[in-house]
Amino acid sequence: MSKPKILILGGGYGGIMSAVRLQKELGSDEAEVTLVNKHNYHYQTTWLHENAAGTLHHDKTRIMIDNIIDMNKVNFVQDTVVEIKKDEKRVILENQELTYDYLVIALGSDPETFGIQGLKENAFSIRSINSVRKIREHIDYSFARYNNEGQKDELITIVVGGAGFTGIEFVGELADRVPELCREYDIPREKVRIVNIEAAPTVLPGFDEELVEYAINNLERRGIEFLVNTPIKECNTDGVVLANGEEIKANTIVWTGGVRGNHLVEEAGFETMRGRVKVDKDLRMPGFDYIFVAGDCALIIDEEANRPYPPTAQIAIQQAYTIGRNIKALMNGGKLEEFKPDIKGTVASLGKGEAIGKVGNKKLFGATASAMKKVIDNRYLFLLGGVPMVIKKGKLKLF
């Protein structure tokens, strides 16, 4: 009798942790587990804003997949998913086809442009190692051009669209990086503009007001400008046009204003909301008992707040644990468990040694919050690969 085939699509938080959990839950003789990922590395999405600003090298952020999974228990296929044929239990890759008995969809997200004209064509996004390398190099080159091309103000104007977690964390890193670039390229700091634009009435919508006030005061003191309640109407090669008609000329526009589930999920014919599937309580795809969904592709409703949980790394990691146990239960005819997110807290970095956060009912500010952020990051690395992984890739200096 052939072993059941378990296929995991995507090597982000939900996908890689599903592979790690399945290799622990199952013996090598119980199932054939295959992980498909575009790259031969996993990267920490929650660190990408640092790579984009140039405050952390991207090699620190990525981890080779063969350093995470046991290649004797999990097959790794480096390839790009092209199509999911759900009714045939097949997945089309660029270079081959794979079949499965159980499928885990953890394909991550696409940028959500909300129909803003020119945004897709003219703005950068913080979404992969390659995309953040491009941002860092573009910013560095723009500063290098300033004194060689007539000191045009737009060369050293950076517009960041969206003031959610990614946007705030990115401008926090820019506040640290820009003074270094100014010294390197002989540019007065006061000439540089970093403008964070948010359509909602406040930055970090839905976050604690006292913490938000601390973040705004901290970042404004370090030279960040905020425009709230100000939707972007258009993005072009010269900059952005706001809903009120004002134009901001900028050579660098970075969009952090939202994500949607991967387009492949919708294209496969699954019912989605902004590319995300409203999964059953055990994380299965409605109507497909053998398909599980994790991370940005899964929509889970917070019944107390009556709104979806945000698709965070914390939740994706927890989903992987449930998926590992549920696939094993499904294979053995056992009872599947319901997924209940355990939100331990939320911390947003504001740059070196600065952050805000809430852990339980306790509010954290400044260096204390920054240290907690590093503890959270190191905990993930421990779950992924134990103490050796923390030593190799962790942020060990807490203060």
Side-chain angles (χ1 to χ4, degrees):
M1 185 176 171
S2 61
K3 294 185 286 189
K5 295 179 179 179
I6 303 170
L7 181 58
I8 303 166
L9 305 181
Y13 290 106
I16 197 73
M17 191 58 82
S18 290
V20 168
R21 296 313 305 166
L22 282 166
Q23 75 184 13
K24 290 183 178 178
E25 293 282 350
L26 301 172
S28 55
D29 58 336
E30 289 184 77
E32 182 184 318
V33 181
T34 301
L35 171 67
V36 176
N37 194 50
K38 184 177 182 179
H39 305 290
N40 62 349
Y41 55 82
H42 160 73
Y43 58 84
Q44 297 203 68
T45 310
T46 54
W47 290 7
L48 289 177
H49 62 282
E50 298 176 64
N51 309 144
T55 53
L56 181 73
H57 195 275
H58 57 263
D59 278 343
K60 188 78 174 174
T61 298
R62 62 180 173 183
I63 308 166
M64 304 311 289
I65 284 175
D66 61 6
N67 287 338
I68 301 170
I69 61 174
D70 183 343
M71 293 294 199
N72 295 315
K73 291 185 174 182
V74 178
N75 306 315
F76 172 58
V77 175
Q78 185 179 345
D79 209 335
T80 301
V81 179
V82 174
E83 185 181 0
I84 300 167
K85 291 188 173 288
K86 63 184 191 307
D87 298 319
E88 301 170 28
K89 291 191 173 183
R90 285 192 303 137
V91 173
I92 313 300
L93 310 179
E94 278 188 354
N95 300 300
Q96 59 182 299
E97 291 185 16
L98 295 174
T99 59
Y100 60 84
D101 296 298
Y102 304 98
L103 180 66
V104 179
I105 300 175
L107 286 166
S109 64
D110 293 331
E112 175 61 273
T113 61
F114 300 105
I116 298 170
Q117 185 181 333
L119 195 63
K120 190 175 180 182
E121 295 79 12
N122 298 303
F124 295 100
S125 60
I126 297 175
R127 59 189 309 264
S128 68
I129 292 290
N130 288 333
S131 75
V132 295
R133 262 196 298 228
K134 206 170 170 183
I135 294 169
R136 186 198 73 232
E137 289 167 4
H138 173 84
I139 292 173
D140 284 10
Y141 184 48
S142 296
F143 274 70
R145 290 169 59 194
Y146 180 74
N147 281 319
N148 293 298
E149 297 183 20
Q151 298 187 336
K152 298 173 184 171
D153 288 342
E154 57 265 33
L155 285 171
I156 52 172
T157 299
I158 302 169
V159 167
V160 179
F165 268 72
T166 304
I168 287 296
E169 291 192 319
F170 180 49
V171 297
E173 295 301 320
L174 286 174
D176 288 340
R177 177 66 174 144
V178 162
E180 296 174 0
L181 290 171
C182 288
R183 286 192 293 273
E184 186 172 349
Y185 295 108
D186 301 318
I187 299 169
R189 170 63 183 89
E190 60 272 15
K191 293 276 189 184
V192 180
R193 288 187 73 193
I194 305 167
V195 187
N196 193 190
I197 303 173
E198 171 58 51
T202 178
V203 309
L204 295 170
F207 210 53
D208 180 88
E209 288 183 15
E210 187 183 2
L211 294 171
V212 170
E213 186 180 358
Y214 179 93
I216 292 171
N217 291 340
N218 177 285
L219 293 168
E220 284 183 337
R221 194 169 62 246
R222 293 157 63 202
I224 307 299
E225 301 174 43
F226 289 103
L227 294 176
V228 298
N229 219 3
T230 308
I232 294 174
K233 178 184 172 185
E234 182 187 341
C235 177
N236 54 47
T237 53
D238 296 324
V240 296
V241 180
L242 307 180
N244 61 10
E246 182 189 347
E247 294 183 43
I248 300 176
K249 291 191 178 299
N251 193 52
T252 304
I253 303 151
V254 181
W255 177 249
T256 69
V259 297
R260 58 185 290 119
N262 192 292
H263 64 280
L264 291 169
V265 179
E266 203 164 7
E267 290 169 7
F270 297 116
E271 189 176 331
T272 65
M273 296 169 64
R274 286 177 58 190
R276 300 170 69 195
V277 176
K278 188 178 178 183
V279 292
D280 291 335
K281 291 186 183 297
D282 54 19
L283 298 179
R284 285 189 289 184
M285 179 82 68
F288 294 87
D289 290 348
Y290 48 86
I291 300 179
F292 292 83
V293 190
D296 294 315
C297 297
L299 181 70
I300 298 167
I301 302 297
D302 179 350
E303 292 175 359
E304 284 185 20
N306 197 29
R307 64 170 181 256
Y309 282 102
T312 62
Q314 180 179 184
I315 288 178
I317 293 160
Q318 292 176 15
Q319 287 170 337
Y321 276 72
T322 299
I323 286 171
R325 290 190 291 267
N326 279 352
I327 288 179
K328 183 176 183 179
L330 203 56
M331 287 170 54
N332 297 326
K335 185 180 178 183
L336 276 65
E337 65 181 64
E338 289 186 6
F339 174 69
K340 292 189 173 80
D342 178 18
I343 310 301
K344 299 181 186 306
T346 310
V347 182
S349 166
L350 304 176
K352 187 176 181 182
E354 281 287 353
I356 54 170
K358 197 167 185 182
V359 178
N361 293 319
K362 189 173 177 59
K363 298 177 188 180
L364 304 177
F365 302 85
T368 306
S370 179
M372 179 57 71
K373 172 85 168 165
K374 292 172 185 173
V375 168
I376 292 167
D377 292 340
N378 289 341
R379 179 180 179 273
Y380 170 65
L381 291 170
F382 179 78
L383 296 174
L384 205 59
V387 173
M389 186 69 75
V390 177
I391 292 170
K392 187 175 182 181
K393 291 289 184 178
K395 294 180 177 180
L396 302 180
K397 190 177 178 182
L398 298 184
F399 292 97

